[in-house]
Amino acid sequence: MPGEIKGLNEECGIFGVWGHPDSAQLTYYGLHALQHRGQEGAGIVTTDGKQMKLHKGHGLINEVFSQNQLQELKGHASAGHVRYATAGDGGYENIQPLLFRSQTDSLALAHNGNLVNAQALKSQLEGQGSILTTTSDTEVVAHLIKRARHLPLDEAIMEALSMIKGAYAFLLMTENQMFVANDPRGLRPISLGQMGDAWVVSSETCGFDVIGATHEREVKPGELVVISNEGVEAKRYASPIQRTLCSMEYVYFSRPDSNLDGKNVHASRKRMGKALAKEAPVEADVVTGVPDSSISAAIGYAEESGIPYELGLIKNRYVGRTFIQPSQELREQGVKMKLSAVRGIVEGKRVVMVDDSIVRGTTSRRIVQMLKEAGASEVHVRIASPPIKNPCYYGIDTANSGELIASDRSVEEIEEQIGADSLTFLSPDGLNEAIYQGEESIEHGGCMACFTGNYPTEIYPNTAHPYEKL
Ligand code: SF4
């Protein structure tokens, strides 16, 4: 999961509650369960039907909110967000939810994803006199809604959504209504749950479990769900297009206890490991996984191959966020602090090291070296996804193309660079089958653009990779 050592980061997580007197406290717990989706900023906005209050700040959810601050956020509804800075910089004004106040009402917005036509829309809005106060894509949507305010609010939101392109799950809130939208391809996960009479919205189903809510359904691609004291109404603002949910949510981002489109993430990862064992068998003594996100795939590999699974690598859980440091030197240092090879397990053994993905390759090289230093006689690296060759434009920090080890190297070259005795990646077909189990064909499965280069939306000529400074 993000927050590990890989240099892969999710953009954001969103969580909301409508119709509960402790909505802010519940949202705090929900955001805590989604913390892996963003560790750089967090915020909660509440409404009591008359006024909206916002508190946000830099850092982890428990660093941003004290009990007193949560108690200040009174109201029956709350919208919250955890953020990894992507499009726009990491300034305070970009921490979400964004809250826009006018003389008549207020509008709060929280967003997960990335808009591919944000630059074009920003230029258009500024040309028409709008003044943008943040560098975040999310503000563009607020301005588009404002421009359509001659319409009822739900129609104004749908008008704005029909103009933006890319990947997005949105949570919007006024004093009296909450709106949840998913992009026409459903690239990012977003679900609806219930807790008694209260409605709950979460990027991942693990957010429902932590507060005892039940998962009701996914917000469908191209759907706007309107929640108010009158109930829930679903509207469609875009024609249905085949869902292309991000495959990396299954591979790496989502928590193993979450379900995506009804499929448990841990079980999907186990199937990836099993498929990998079928595609790339090797003679070895033990299988080990890189904690935490690769453990499920390693268990699957071990089950399928009959080679015992062992804890050959241990994660130090008390290191903090050193891995966020962007320089190469600090990143490598972060690996040493976060992981240890267990000599008593790997010494003299032929080890299969299962990892979920390789981004820059530096982490893999360091872990292979660590296992060899601990006495492993051979280290065979098995990756439970295809090589990441292309950048993501949809809100995932897969690094720039130039930094991706697989963008211009063969598997043999990567094998040599990371010092493995052998290296194999899961095939795109193998990944698709592990996720969908034949329920959808390769042409119509999830987004796999970072592996295949087949982007499910247009990529505009001026679409900046969100992690290059805009
Ligand atoms: S390009 Fe890759 S990381 Fe980005 S949405 Fe598609 S599958 Fe996910």
Side-chain angles (χ1 to χ4, degrees):
M1 294 189 303
E4 299 191 344
I5 50 180
K6 195 174 293 296
L8 264 176
N9 287 287
E10 174 72 66
E11 185 174 350
C12 300
I14 54 187
F15 193 90
V17 173
W18 186 275
H20 195 289
D22 298 322
S23 67
Q25 189 79 45
L26 293 173
T27 300
Y28 174 87
Y29 292 139
L31 291 179
H32 198 267
L34 300 177
Q35 187 77 83
H36 58 286
R37 299 181 74 88
Q39 298 98 40
E40 294 183 4
I44 297 176
V45 61
T46 51
T47 176
D48 61 5
K50 293 193 186 78
Q51 61 167 327
M52 296 175 78
K53 280 191 182 168
L54 168 68
H55 179 76
K56 64 180 187 176
H58 286 288
L60 300 173
I61 183 86
N62 60 355
E63 295 166 341
V64 174
F65 291 93
S66 65
Q67 193 55 40
N68 285 347
Q69 279 154 338
L70 272 179
Q71 276 165 0
E72 289 286 303
L73 293 172
K74 293 195 190 341
H76 66 284
S78 296
H81 190 263
V82 286
R83 175 165 202 263
Y84 172 75
T86 54
D89 61 33
Y92 176 84
E93 70 282 2
N94 286 328
I95 298 173
Q96 298 187 28
L98 300 182
L99 179 59
F100 301 91
R101 295 186 193 275
S102 73
Q103 285 179 340
T104 49
D105 52 13
S106 307
L107 177 67
L109 279 98
H111 170 211
N112 173 211
N114 191 62
L115 308 184
V116 293
N117 64 338
Q119 287 306 304
L121 289 170
K122 273 180 196 168
S123 310
Q124 199 182 322
L125 283 165
E126 284 174 345
Q128 291 165 354
S130 296
I131 297 167
L132 301 180
T133 57
T134 75
T135 53
S136 139
D137 288 359
T138 315
E139 191 185 0
V140 171
V141 180
H143 280 268
L144 292 173
I145 295 169
K146 203 169 159 197
R147 267 193 354 177
R149 283 306 283 269
H150 54 282
L151 299 167
L153 185 55
D154 56 346
E155 288 179 32
I157 292 172
M158 290 197 281
E159 171 99 357
L161 294 176
S162 66
M163 295 176 72
I164 59 175
K165 298 195 188 320
Y168 54 86
F170 270 107
L171 178 59
L172 303 95
M173 196 170 78
T174 65
E175 284 84 352
N176 300 304
Q177 285 175 301
M178 182 176 266
F179 302 87
V180 197
N182 199 356
D183 74 64
R185 289 174 180 79
L187 274 145
R188 304 259 73 89
I190 182 81
S191 291
L192 283 180
Q194 263 199 293
M195 187 185 179
D197 292 336
W199 285 92
V200 189
V201 179
S202 180
S203 289
E204 284 182 43
T205 59
C206 64
F208 299 136
D209 299 333
V210 77
I211 62 164
T214 51
H215 175 237
E216 289 300 314
R217 67 175 181 88
E218 321 287 321
V219 178
K220 297 187 189 96
E223 187 178 49
L224 177 73
V225 176
V226 187
I227 307 171
S228 69
N229 291 344
E230 275 70 60
V232 173
E233 195 183 352
K235 296 168 184 268
R236 182 163 286 290
Y237 69 89
S239 345
I241 304 176
Q242 175 65 44
R243 182 161 203 199
T244 50
L245 177 64
C246 168
S247 298
M248 285 301 285
E249 292 281 355
Y250 287 101
V251 170
Y252 178 68
F253 289 113
S254 291
R255 262 179 42 165
D257 53 336
S258 285
N259 290 343
L260 298 166
D261 286 345
K263 293 177 274 294
N264 172 254
V265 171
H266 163 73
S268 304
R269 288 180 187 160
K270 259 183 84 176
R271 290 194 295 271
M272 289 169 208
K274 284 175 181 257
L276 190 55
K278 282 188 200 145
E279 288 185 10
V282 63
E283 292 222 348
D285 304 307
V286 292
V287 175
T288 194
V290 179
D292 290 323
S293 55
S294 309
I295 303 287
S296 307
I299 293 171
Y301 192 102
E303 266 185 32
E304 183 65 32
S305 64
I307 304 168
Y309 171 79
E310 290 286 359
L311 279 180
L313 291 162
I314 297 281
K315 186 175 170 185
N316 177 0
R317 301 197 176 272
Y318 305 103
V319 169
R321 288 178 289 149
T322 48
F323 66 94
I324 287 173
Q325 302 302 327
S327 81
Q328 191 63 23
E329 198 187 331
L330 285 176
R331 200 175 288 128
E332 291 204 20
Q333 191 60 35
V335 175
K336 283 186 209 160
M337 290 171 69
K338 289 206 116 190
L339 275 185
S340 309
V342 185
R343 179 174 289 276
I345 298 294
V346 303
E347 193 166 27
K349 303 272 175 54
R350 296 166 299 172
V351 177
V352 179
M353 181 197 113
V354 178
D355 204 350
D356 50 74
S357 52
I358 295 187
V359 184
R360 297 178 181 87
T362 46
T363 304
S364 310
R365 178 164 52 81
R366 184 70 198 107
I367 300 172
V368 170
Q369 195 185 334
M370 211 182 263
L371 286 164
K372 292 209 164 174
E373 282 167 7
S377 58
E378 292 172 18
V379 178
H380 299 278
V381 177
R382 295 291 179 271
I383 305 296
S385 63
I388 300 176
K389 293 171 176 284
N390 311 285
C392 174
Y393 296 98
Y394 305 127
I396 301 294
D397 177 5
T398 47
N400 304 320
S401 314
E403 294 177 305
L404 293 169
I405 192 169
S407 69
D408 58 355
R409 289 177 188 82
S410 66
V411 174
E412 292 71 30
E413 286 169 326
I414 301 170
E415 178 183 294
E416 196 186 329
Q417 198 153 331
I418 66 172
D421 291 283
S422 74
L423 167 69
T424 313
F425 291 84
L426 183 60
S427 66
D429 283 1
L431 174 60
N432 206 55
E433 179 57 30
I435 298 173
Y436 294 104
Q437 300 174 275
E439 121 198 359
E440 294 175 57
S441 74
I442 187 84
E443 291 84 9
H444 300 294
C447 174
M448 300 236 258
C450 49
F451 310 123
T452 62
N454 297 325
Y455 292 95
T457 71
E458 310 167 67
I459 299 299
Y460 288 67
N462 63 349
T463 300
H465 182 269
Y467 307 92
E468 292 164 340
K469 278 286 169 213
L470 296 172

